[in-house]
């Protein structure tokens, strides 16, 4: 089987390009979301607009606090520099909300201007954000790679028919086998993309 060339790379934000200390179990407890349910799905199904707004306010407070403490992940700056030299277009699709995500980009000096947050497109694992970026680049999805650190990232890539790359710098999670690639260090990403050249 001939591997498709990777022409563009889309990244997740939290836990991938920048650090995140969001405690989702604490947030779920504060909004009354059961531990095993997706937080955003739970909030979207609350019975009144007021309850949805109150719950989102709590989430926003946590996300803004997290944004103020965010730091660039190891090896990211050099990796993005190399991908720029390789003329690989880059974008970000995050489940975070716009204000917090933009603060993280400016605080950590992430040189990627094209970003979709949950304010712009349905949250992952819905593939809409990823497909929107591919369309903007005029690439077919199979020429794009999505890099993220969580199951939703792998699922979003599969749903978009893109190559999935799981960033797992420490432990390998049980769902890692679902990803096309596992990235232990950002130092390895440019070589991985070159291998598809």
């Amino acid at each position: 089987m001939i591997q498709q060339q990777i022409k563009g790379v889309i990244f997740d934000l939290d836990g991938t390009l920048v650090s995140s200390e969001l405690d989702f179990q604490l947030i779920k407890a504060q909004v009354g979301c059961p531990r095993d349910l997706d937080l955003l799905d739970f909030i979207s199904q609350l019975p009144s607009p007021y309850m949805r707004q109150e719950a989102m306010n709590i989430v926003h407070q946590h996300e803004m606090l997290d944004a103020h403490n965010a730091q660039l992940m190891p090896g990211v700056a050099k990796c993005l520099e190399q991908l720029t030299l390789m003329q690989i277009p880059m974008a970000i699709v995050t489940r975070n909300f716009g204000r917090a995500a933009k603060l993280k980009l400016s605080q950590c000096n992430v040189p990627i201007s094209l970003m979709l947050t949950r304010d712009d497109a349905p949250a992952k694992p819905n593939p809409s954000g990823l497909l929107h970026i591919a369309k903007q680049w005029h690439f077919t999805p199979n020429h794009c790679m999505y890099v993220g650190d969580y199951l939703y990232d792998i699922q979003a890539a599969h749903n978009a028919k893109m190559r999935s790359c799981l960033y797992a710098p420490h432990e390998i999670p049980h769902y890692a086998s679902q990803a096309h690639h596992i990235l232990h260090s950002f130092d390895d990403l440019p070589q991985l993309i070159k291998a598809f050249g």
Side-chain angles (χ1 to χ4, degrees), residues 137-158:
W137 285 339
H138 303 291
F139 295 160
T140 54
N142 61 357
H143 284 125
C144 300
M145 177 184 279
Y146 187 62
V147 181
D149 68 320
Y150 188 58
L151 175 62
Y152 290 155
D153 302 318
I154 301 172
Q155 291 171 336
H158 288 317

Side-chain angles (χ1 to χ4, degrees), residues 63-75:
E63 288 177 324
M64 288 304 290
L65 185 64
D66 189 51
H68 283 289
N69 298 320
Q71 295 178 337
L72 206 58
M73 295 294 264

Side-chain angles (χ1 to χ4, degrees), residues 5 13 15 65-66 71 84 125 138 149 156 158 174-175 184 189 196:
Q5 184 184 0
L13 183 61
L65 185 64
D66 189 51
Q71 295 178 337
T84 302
H138 303 291
D149 68 320
H158 288 317
H174 64 89
Y175 48 79
H184 298 291
L189 187 60
F196 286 87

Side-chain angles (χ1 to χ4, degrees), residues 68-186:
H68 283 289
N69 298 320
Q71 295 178 337
L72 206 58
M73 295 294 264
V76 166
K78 190 179 166 198
C79 172
L80 299 185
E81 233 171 78
Q82 285 181 276
L83 293 184
T84 302
L85 290 172
M86 289 162 61
Q87 298 185 311
I88 300 284
M90 293 174 278
I92 294 167
V93 174
T94 173
R95 278 171 63 100
N96 214 316
F97 89 116
R99 244 179 88 210
K102 283 176 190 140
L103 178 59
K104 285 188 172 188
L105 288 198
S106 63
Q107 176 143 314
C108 299
N109 292 316
V110 178
I112 299 175
S113 55
L114 181 55
M115 175 171 69
L116 295 180
T117 69
R118 67 167 184 263
D119 301 340
D120 308 307
K124 300 171 294 185
N126 186 302
S128 302
L130 279 65
L131 292 170
H132 180 82
I133 302 277
K135 194 173 177 186
Q136 198 163 325
W137 285 339
H138 303 291
F139 295 160
T140 54
N142 61 357
H143 284 125
C144 300
M145 177 184 279
Y146 187 62
V147 181
D149 68 320
Y150 188 58
L151 175 62
Y152 290 155
D153 302 318
I154 301 172
Q155 291 171 336
H158 288 317
N159 292 340
K161 306 281 189 285
M162 292 183 182
R163 294 201 75 77
S164 57
C165 182
L166 178 71
Y167 176 56
H170 307 301
E171 291 148 31
I172 304 293
H174 64 89
Y175 48 79
S177 58
Q178 297 177 42
H180 291 112
H181 310 282
I182 297 173
L183 184 69
H184 298 291
S185 162
F186 270 98

